[in-house]
Amino acid sequence: MPGTIRITRSHKLATAVLVAAGSVTAIVATGGQSDAQPAAAKTSIAAEKVAGVPTAKEAAAKKAAQETAAKKAAAAATAKKAVAERKAAAEKAVTDRKAAAKKSAEKARSEKQAANRSTERKAVAAPKQYKNNLDGWIRESLDIMKKKNIPGSYEGLHRNIMRESSGNPNAVNDWDINAQNGIPSKGLLQVIQPTFDAYHVNGTPKKLTDPVANITAAANYAADKYGSIDNVDSAY
């Protein structure tokens, strides 16, 4: 028929070849895209991993910062230790000064006590000295009388001594009744031997005319008979 295209067997084969060729091309094109996508993804991941790793410069800066921080920490620790050592040294110095002051005070106190003991020993070793005169005899007698609880005063003793013997320890009464009986009164306070023997004060010489022995015996007798030598104003 006019206007009608006759498709022969040759045409069909050619068409088939073209369709096949197109299909292959499409498959090839599609396969290329599938392989390309995973590769691009892998490249992106790798790029991301590389981006997360610090560079050599960054690593060096980080290391330097860490070293600086470590040095600062070490310096701070050293400074703190030095402060603690200075504080301990200052406290020790104060403690040492206090200990030295205490030791010095104790030494001074010990030396003072030793000096006092030495003075006391000297005082004990060296008896009180009395003048060898009427004043000395009366004062020594008063000290003995005080120890023996015998009453009497300096004035009472002196007054009676001056009346009885005028202060002469060897005075002897050879005219009164006692003398007539053979036992004359003797000494500062004119005491007869029997009275002296009865009222002699231990620690004094057993000699009637010894000044201190005579005074203390007479005072002892007067205390027994009159209450005190101070109460005697005449012969007794």
Side-chain angles (χ1 to χ4, degrees):
M1 291 180 59
T4 302
I5 299 173
R6 186 180 176 81
I7 299 173
T8 65
R9 188 171 182 270
S10 297
H11 289 146
K12 290 180 180 180
L13 289 173
T15 300
V17 171
L18 289 174
V19 171
S23 298
V24 171
T25 301
I27 291 170
V28 172
T30 304
Q33 289 178 358
S34 298
D35 292 339
Q37 287 177 354
K42 290 178 180 179
T43 300
S44 176
I45 293 171
E48 289 176 358
K49 288 184 178 180
V50 172
V53 175
T55 63
K57 184 176 181 181
E58 291 173 341
K62 183 177 181 180
K63 183 178 180 181
Q66 291 174 342
E67 290 176 350
T68 300
K71 288 180 180 180
K72 288 182 178 179
T78 301
K80 184 177 181 180
K81 182 179 179 181
V83 170
E85 290 176 348
R86 286 196 296 272
K87 182 179 180 181
E91 291 176 348
K92 184 177 183 301
V94 172
T95 301
D96 291 345
R97 285 197 297 272
K98 289 182 178 179
K102 182 178 179 181
K103 185 176 180 180
S104 179
E106 290 176 348
K107 182 179 179 182
R109 184 165 54 252
S110 178
E111 290 176 349
K112 184 178 181 180
Q113 290 174 346
N116 290 339
R117 287 193 295 269
S118 177
T119 301
E120 291 172 358
R121 285 194 296 270
K122 288 180 180 179
V124 172
K128 186 176 179 179
Q129 298 297 315
Y130 302 94
K131 294 180 180 180
N132 189 28
N133 56 26
L134 181 58
D135 178 74
W137 300 331
I138 293 175
R139 293 186 185 283
E140 184 176 356
S141 296
L142 285 170
D143 286 344
I144 295 172
M145 290 163 59
K146 183 177 181 180
K147 292 178 181 178
K148 302 294 184 178
N149 294 318
I150 299 172
S153 66
Y154 186 99
E155 186 279 329
L157 292 174
H158 186 271
R159 170 167 44 82
N160 282 284
I161 288 171
M162 295 309 292
R163 186 189 66 251
E164 295 291 334
S165 65
S166 299
N168 179 8
N170 297 312
V172 178
N173 184 326
D174 55 4
W175 54 267
D176 65 3
I177 187 64
N178 291 320
Q180 294 174 17
N181 292 330
I183 49 173
S185 300
K186 298 180 181 180
L188 292 172
L189 284 170
Q190 294 293 284
V191 183
I192 60 175
Q193 191 67 49
T195 301
F196 178 82
D197 293 339
Y199 290 93
H200 172 259
V201 177
N202 291 332
T204 63
K206 289 186 176 182
K207 181 180 178 182
L208 180 58
T209 56
D210 178 85
V212 175
N214 187 276
I215 292 173
T216 54
N220 195 22
Y221 167 77
D224 183 40
K225 298 299 182 181
Y226 305 101
S228 172
I229 191 69
D230 294 347
N231 297 330
V232 177
D233 292 308
S234 61
Y236 58 105

